Amino acid sequence: MRRLMPVAVGLLVLLAIVPAIADKAKSIYEKGQDAEARQNYEAAYDLYKQAYDLKPKDLRYRTSFERMRSKAAQDIVHRGQVLRDEGKLQDAVAEFQKAIQIDPSLFMAQQELKRTLQMINDKENPPPQAAGPPSSLERKIKEAGGPVELVPISNTPLTIKATDDSKVIYETVGKIAGINVLFDPDYTSRRIRVELNGVTLEDALEITALESKTFWRPVTGNTIFVAQDNPAKRKELEQSVLKTFYLTNLSQPTELQDVVNAIRAVLDVQRVQQLLSQNALVVRGTPDQIALAEKLVEDLDKARPEVIVDIAVLQISKDKSRTLGLSPPTSATVTLQANVSTGTTATTTTTTSTAASSSGLELNTLGSLNATDFQVSIGSANLSAVMGDSDTKMIQNPQVRALDNQKATLKIGERVPVATGSFQPGIGGVGINPLVNTQFQYLDVGVNIDVTPHVHGDRDVTLKISMEISSVVGQSSIGGISQPIIGQKKIEHEIRLRDGESSMIGGILDDSETRSLAGIPGLTQIPILKYLFGQTTQDHEQDETVFVITPHVVRGTMVSELNQRQLDIGTANTIALRHVSRPAAAVAPAVQPPMSQAPGVQTPANQPPANQTPNQAANPTALSGTNFLFDPGQITAAKGSTFVVNLLISGAQNVYSVPVQMNYDPAKLQLVNVSNGGFLSQDGQAVALVHREDETTGTLQITATRPPGAGGVSGQGAVVTLTFQAKAGGQTPLTITRGGARDPGQQSITVNGAQASVTVQ
């Protein structure tokens, strides 16, 4: 018994806890329903989730939790967009991250988070004016480079004023710039006049080519080849590039054909082949044409926007009836009694009675009839006092998700057969009844919704909607076949709404009132007596149907600055990208400002720069050599917010690549983004940025490298920009554990490490 006592106590405790948990889950669920009715979807989601966590096997709780997930995330994204429009970027980032945690499938939240982080990075770390584009595509578009690029051996501004042979001017420009100039054997020289004042090498070559009606292309990094500008020579000498473009968003044959038509019509590229099996395009053309084709593919291969449309169909029916009054008798029946008296003698009476009873009333007896020979029957009177009041409410709230410009259909209801025709097959023979075959078609009866959305760039949504509510209201016999009578309420509408804006697109109200009076004529017209000699009946019926629609953009259109940029692509006869002038290389000053300063900001007197202690400020040799620095060195961030820190390098000489490894506490910090800082791309060259992260140990490895063939850079600046999110309170270091730099010959350059302190409040 002693052993069984703990078991019994445990069972009693379990029996007491289980109903308490069930009651608690039900109470929380009802609170969630109240929050949903108030359209507080985030609170409703939290309450539904609590109820689901308490009773995960209850499908009612799970359904509500899953259904409210998307709506809550959409509301949070909308709130983040409002905060971003108000300039509160950090608060907007927190909202977008919260939406992603609730619904990771909401692509709109991921897009808005990426866009907002980029805005924060651009605001806190504006790229240097001389910095080039971050990718090879943008570099080709901006600098018009091909597979072989002309290296700016000397970027000193050129000034030439001469009237001479075009061949001589080409050679003069080449000698000043330090490049080799080769000429086509069929080259025909002509005398031209040029005045070049402070132009770069690319500009000088372009102006000379324009004046002499020639064209040139780089053969090596310091050699160009010049020929007459005509279609035959360009076709013979210009390079051909083959590239395959794999489309990630467009998949339909018509969509691929649209891209092919755009490349052919705009860029005059005839060698384009689409591969439907690989969802790819193979393009062959000049380097400039391929670069522009890549831009077109980037512009057109966009994920199509998606919209979730919330549709609320509200039907309210009210029926009030009242019957009051006395229904008087409306008829009376007079009948003759069977024992009618007919005379004075018994014989006569007996005979007459027998005859009357057998064959009716004789004429001789009419004179002897009196009041006792008749029976009057009067109908009954009914007193009625009845009142009826019925109120019916039906709410249907379907949700439809559709792609941009794609029709989505939702049908809820039944399919009712309707006879459409009949035929009688010919059958020979006498006495054989031919068979009649009837054809039927099925009609969708219930709620039928067709929605075609179109998402605009400003998050507006145009909806083309067809909504129908139908039901079988009766039957009718046509040709011996019972056919259904279908009641229908339908609206076809096209409207433009903001993201999250609700609109009533149609309201149908039926209001009928009937009054009737029955009773004795004359008496029923008297106000008081009409209830004693008559009966009044009143019926009031109301039927209202309302359609409310709300669009939510769950995937928007991502359009970058490069997609909208205007480009100079040459002339009508020749597709060519124009070179962007590179600024002349600046000589580094003997004394440079601290790297924590923004351009043009002076360090106050007697104030040490960031990452420099007072002792280091007093002893400048403490910072001698090449050093890594964190800017800022002391960071204070609120829990849940994001912050940005720059990894700087100072005293660098001929740096080509920067590999570095740093550690942080993954329990307190989370890496959000790594972007180029601008130091390695200060001369316009693109930088390849690779990073690997181990979230369990908090180890981050970053390698920033200049393109092959490019020389090294010197000076000081931000190598990379890091964006972290503060996860938990406390103080934690951000430490460089291993790293350095390499020159163009892949020789190591020693760089001193650095450490930053992060305080999470």
Side-chain angles (χ1 to χ4, degrees):
M1 291 296 294
R2 292 180 179 178
R3 295 179 179 178
L4 294 177
M5 284 296 295
V7 177
V9 172
L11 290 175
L12 291 175
V13 172
L14 182 62
L15 293 175
I17 291 176
V18 170
I21 293 177
D23 293 339
K24 184 178 180 181
K26 182 179 180 181
S27 176
I28 294 174
Y29 176 75
E30 291 175 350
K31 292 180 181 178
Q33 289 180 317
D34 294 339
E36 182 181 0
R38 295 191 301 270
Q39 296 185 351
N40 189 354
Y41 298 129
E42 184 179 355
Y45 167 78
D46 293 335
L47 293 169
Y48 286 152
K49 187 176 186 302
Q50 294 178 28
Y52 170 70
D53 292 339
L54 291 174
K55 295 190 66 178
K57 293 184 178 181
D58 195 320
L59 294 181
R60 178 180 52 176
Y61 300 158
R62 179 177 179 181
T63 302
S64 300
F65 159 66
E66 295 291 347
R67 175 175 54 83
M68 198 53 54
R69 180 198 300 269
S70 178
K71 288 187 176 181
Q74 292 167 13
D75 271 6
I76 296 173
V77 168
H78 180 68
R79 188 163 62 242
Q81 292 170 342
V82 173
L83 291 172
R84 186 182 60 193
D85 294 340
E86 294 175 353
K88 302 176 182 178
L89 301 182
Q90 296 291 352
D91 295 339
V93 167
E95 295 295 331
F96 295 143
Q97 291 172 343
K98 184 177 181 181
I100 293 175
Q101 292 176 354
I102 292 177
D103 188 2
S105 65
L106 189 62
F107 296 99
M108 173 61 72
Q110 301 174 10
Q111 293 173 349
E112 297 296 330
L113 175 62
K114 183 177 179 181
R115 183 181 303 170
T116 308
L117 290 175
Q118 185 63 40
M119 292 173 63
I120 294 175
N121 184 44
D122 294 343
K123 182 179 180 180
E124 298 182 355
N125 302 281
Q129 295 296 326
S135 67
S136 59
L137 167 61
E138 295 185 6
R139 176 169 55 84
K140 285 182 179 181
I141 294 175
K142 287 187 175 182
E143 301 181 2
V148 178
E149 295 185 357
L150 188 63
V151 177
I153 299 175
S154 175
N155 221 14
T156 304
L158 305 179
T159 300
I160 301 176
K161 296 182 180 180
T163 301
D164 208 332
D165 188 271
S166 59
K167 203 170 190 180
V168 174
I169 294 179
Y170 265 121
E171 291 174 346
T172 302
V173 173
K175 290 178 181 179
I176 296 176
I179 64 173
N180 304 315
V181 182
L182 304 178
F183 293 93
D184 183 68
D186 299 332
Y187 179 80
T188 302
S189 182
R190 57 184 296 181
R191 190 175 182 85
I192 61 174
R193 175 182 175 84
V194 293
E195 291 187 6
L196 308 178
N197 296 310
V199 298
T200 62
L201 170 62
E202 287 86 355
D203 290 339
L205 293 176
E206 290 294 339
I207 294 172
T208 304
L210 182 62
E211 289 285 341
S212 61
K213 298 188 181 300
T214 58
F215 76 97
W216 60 272
R217 71 173 182 87
V219 179
T220 64
N222 63 344
T223 305
I224 64 173
F225 189 84
V226 183
Q228 290 295 129
D229 190 2
N230 58 67
K233 279 296 179 183
R234 282 190 174 271
K235 185 176 181 180
E236 177 184 349
L237 298 176
E238 282 189 331
Q239 293 175 305
S240 291
V241 179
L242 179 67
K243 183 165 184 178
T244 302
F245 299 97
Y246 292 93
L247 281 69
T248 58
N249 297 296
L250 305 182
S251 59
Q252 299 297 325
T254 56
E255 297 174 338
L256 294 177
Q257 189 61 45
D258 290 341
V259 178
V260 171
N261 294 339
I263 294 175
R264 287 175 176 171
V266 177
L267 303 179
D268 197 21
V269 178
Q270 301 302 321
R271 294 181 176 133
V272 183
Q273 181 64 42
Q274 56 177 324
L275 302 176
L276 298 179
S277 60
Q278 299 293 328
N279 200 33
L281 301 177
V282 180
V283 185
R284 176 187 173 187
T286 66
D288 290 347
Q289 288 176 327
I290 295 300
L292 289 170
E294 188 170 356
K295 181 189 182 303
L296 279 180
V297 171
E298 175 70 18
D299 294 343
L300 301 178
D301 185 22
K302 299 289 187 181
R304 302 183 70 172
E306 289 186 75
V307 180
I308 287 182
V309 183
D310 285 331
I311 303 172
V313 182
L314 312 177
Q315 291 181 285
I316 302 173
S317 299
K318 294 183 179 181
D319 187 2
K320 292 184 178 181
S321 62
R322 188 188 69 179
T323 302
L324 183 62
L326 179 66
S327 179
T330 57
S331 63
T333 304
V334 180
T335 58
L336 185 65
Q337 295 295 323
N339 54 348
V340 177
S341 178
T342 59
T344 58
T345 63
T347 303
T348 305
T349 302
T350 302
T351 304
T352 305
S353 299
T354 302
S357 62
S358 62
S359 60
L361 183 65
E362 295 180 356
L363 293 177
N364 294 332
T365 62
L366 290 178
S368 61
L369 293 178
N370 53 41
T372 60
D373 296 327
F374 296 92
Q375 180 180 359
V376 180
S377 299
I378 302 175
S380 62
N382 297 321
L383 178 62
S384 300
V386 181
M387 182 176 181
D389 189 354
S390 63
D391 193 346
T392 304
K393 179 178 66 175
M394 183 176 64
I395 300 177
Q396 293 176 320
N397 191 13
Q399 192 177 75
V400 180
R401 181 164 179 165
L403 285 172
D404 184 47
N405 293 326
Q406 293 293 315
K407 180 180 178 181
T409 300
L410 176 66
K411 298 181 183 296
I412 303 174
E414 302 175 344
R415 304 198 71 193
V416 177
V418 177
T420 59
S422 60
F423 64 95
Q424 178 176 326
I427 300 178
V430 179
I432 300 177
N433 294 325
L435 298 177
V436 177
N437 294 334
T438 304
Q439 299 175 345
F440 291 88
Q441 71 174 9
Y442 288 84
L443 300 180
D444 294 315
V445 176
V447 178
N448 302 317
I449 302 172
D450 293 333
V451 181
T452 304
H454 175 68
V455 182
H456 301 273
D458 56 354
R459 299 204 299 265
D460 280 11
V461 182
T462 296
L463 298 171
K464 186 176 182 181
I465 306 171
S466 175
M467 303 178 62
E468 175 187 316
I469 298 178
S470 56
S471 61
V472 178
V473 297
Q475 297 288 331
S476 175
S477 178
I478 302 177
I481 300 177
S482 179
Q483 297 278 55
I485 300 174
I486 298 176
Q488 184 184 62
K489 296 178 180 178
K490 183 175 181 180
I491 182 171
E492 293 184 357
H493 203 69
E494 188 167 353
I495 189 173
R496 178 166 177 167
L497 299 173
R498 293 285 295 172
D499 180 20
E501 179 184 359
S502 299
S503 176
M504 184 181 73
I505 63 174
I508 304 172
L509 176 63
D510 295 334
D511 192 343
S512 63
E513 186 173 356
T514 304
R515 295 185 180 184
S516 61
L517 176 63
I520 299 175
L523 296 178
T524 57
Q525 306 300 321
I526 301 174
I528 298 177
L529 297 180
K530 67 178 182 180
Y531 296 106
L532 298 176
F533 298 97
Q535 189 179 70
T536 61
T537 302
Q538 292 184 355
D539 288 328
H540 188 193
E541 296 181 1
Q542 285 184 334
D543 187 2
E544 184 175 7
T545 304
V546 177
F547 303 94
V548 180
I549 187 165
T550 306
H552 300 282
V553 179
V554 295
R555 188 200 299 267
T557 302
M558 293 291 292
V559 180
S560 64
E561 185 272 337
L562 179 61
N563 299 140
Q564 298 177 318
R565 185 183 307 165
Q566 295 183 357
L567 299 177
D568 181 4
I569 62 172
T571 64
N573 297 327
T574 304
I575 300 295
L577 289 170
R578 297 305 179 188
H579 295 261
V580 174
S581 300
R582 295 191 181 103
V587 180
V591 180
Q592 300 182 6
M595 289 312 302
S596 61
Q597 297 175 201
V601 178
Q602 298 291 333
T603 303
N606 302 325
Q607 178 179 340
N611 294 279
Q612 185 175 347
T613 65
N615 293 334
Q616 291 173 329
N619 183 15
T621 59
L623 289 177
S624 61
T626 306
N627 302 278
F628 282 127
L629 302 172
F630 283 107
D631 180 23
Q634 300 288 336
I635 304 167
T636 302
K639 182 180 177 181
S641 65
T642 59
F643 62 88
V644 177
V645 60
N646 295 316
L647 175 60
L648 312 177
I649 189 171
S650 65
Q653 297 292 330
N654 197 24
V655 174
Y656 173 78
S657 175
V658 178
V660 65
Q661 176 179 306
M662 63 182 65
N663 282 7
Y664 61 92
D665 187 355
K668 294 183 174 61
L669 301 178
Q670 178 180 352
L671 181 67
V672 177
N673 188 39
V674 179
S675 60
N676 179 29
F679 170 72
L680 294 178
S681 60
Q682 59 184 264
D683 59 347
Q685 296 290 340
V687 174
L689 191 62
V690 180
H691 73 277
R692 294 191 299 273
E693 179 190 10
D694 188 349
E695 297 181 353
T696 59
T697 61
T699 303
L700 176 62
Q701 297 179 354
I702 304 173
T703 302
T705 309
R706 289 167 58 80
V713 294
S714 303
Q716 52 191 0
V719 179
V720 293
T721 299
L722 307 173
T723 303
F724 287 94
Q725 181 184 14
K727 296 171 57 179
Q731 188 172 6
T732 179
L734 187 62
T735 308
I736 295 179
T737 56
R738 186 174 60 187
R742 295 182 182 274
D743 61 12
Q746 297 300 315
Q747 298 298 319
S748 298
I749 301 174
T750 303
V751 184
N752 298 322
Q755 186 177 30
S757 177
V758 181
T759 302
V760 180
Q761 297 179 346

